[in-house]
Amino acid sequence: MKPTIQPYQYMALRQTVDELINVYQSVNDRHTVQTVQALAVEKIREAVPGNYPEIEELITFSLDTRLTKARAQRWFDDFKAFVVPFAVPSAKQVEKAFRKVKKLKVPDFEQLDLREHTYIGWNDPGSQKKFLLLYADERLLGIAGSIPAGTKKNICSICHKEGNVALFMATTKTGAEGTYTKKGNYICIDSEQCNRQLTDRKNLDHFIEQVKEVK
Ligand SMILES: [Zn+2]
């Protein structure tokens, strides 16, 4: 398999198949199941437009009503080879992306499953800071902000799913006098979980636009 799709597309496919299995296991009516299957196929094609044998295989696989979550899990483990991993930046690139941050603690990229990351996010509990690293128009972009230790259940501004979120205050330098202004967004405290829930790149891009527009 040639790496082709992005991690968020992989997550979208997983979520669709997962929901389909829930229906297989809870609905007996054949017509209802068929309707849900047709919708799932539509969602799969929407998530990955274009003609790929890998996607056709996934569709055939997911239409089997005896499918279990364990089998789907194994299947998706192999299917991960179809995902383009997050490109590991050099230390210099990371430094440049976070120019204003002193003593930046960078995560060990090798420890991460890079095929499960649309963005890389990590917390520095000592300084109550959170760092987000992603590619926007092929440029590496770093966003730093403060995040309190406490969380609550709410909708995350990045993945748009419910989770344990905290108010992330992005720090942006504005004006000649170098004052910093902040604007808050609730986002998942656990960026690994957030990436697994991130199924639409537009949501992430919208969040980035909001954070960058801070004046
Ligand atoms: Zn999230």
Side-chain angles (χ1 to χ4, degrees), residues 12 17 28 46 67 75 77 91 95 103 106 110 119 127 131-132 171-172 176 192:
V17 173
N28 282 320
E46 244 172 62
L67 190 57
W75 199 89
D77 283 346
E95 234 171 73
K103 288 189 208 155
V106 181
E110 300 306 317
Y119 74 94
S127 64
F131 303 96
L132 309 172
T171 316
T172 312
E192 306 301 297

Side-chain angles (χ1 to χ4, degrees), residues 119 156-161 187-188 194 197:
Y119 74 94
C156 163
S157 300
I158 296 178
C159 65
H160 287 201
K161 304 284 189 319
I187 62 171
C188 292
C194 189
Q197 296 178 166

Side-chain angles (χ1 to χ4, degrees), residues 114-158:
L114 297 165
R115 286 186 158 93
E116 289 197 357
H117 287 82
T118 302
Y119 74 94
I120 308 261
W122 68 98
N123 306 330
D124 180 358
S127 64
Q128 296 208 332
K129 286 222 163 73
K130 190 169 182 73
F131 303 96
L132 309 172
L133 193 62
L134 68 142
Y135 292 95
D137 298 325
E138 296 186 10
R139 271 188 53 233
L140 193 66
L141 185 67
I143 292 171
S146 64
I147 199 155
T151 61
K152 61 174 191 175
K153 274 250 186 283
N154 210 333
I155 302 294
C156 163
S157 300
I158 296 178

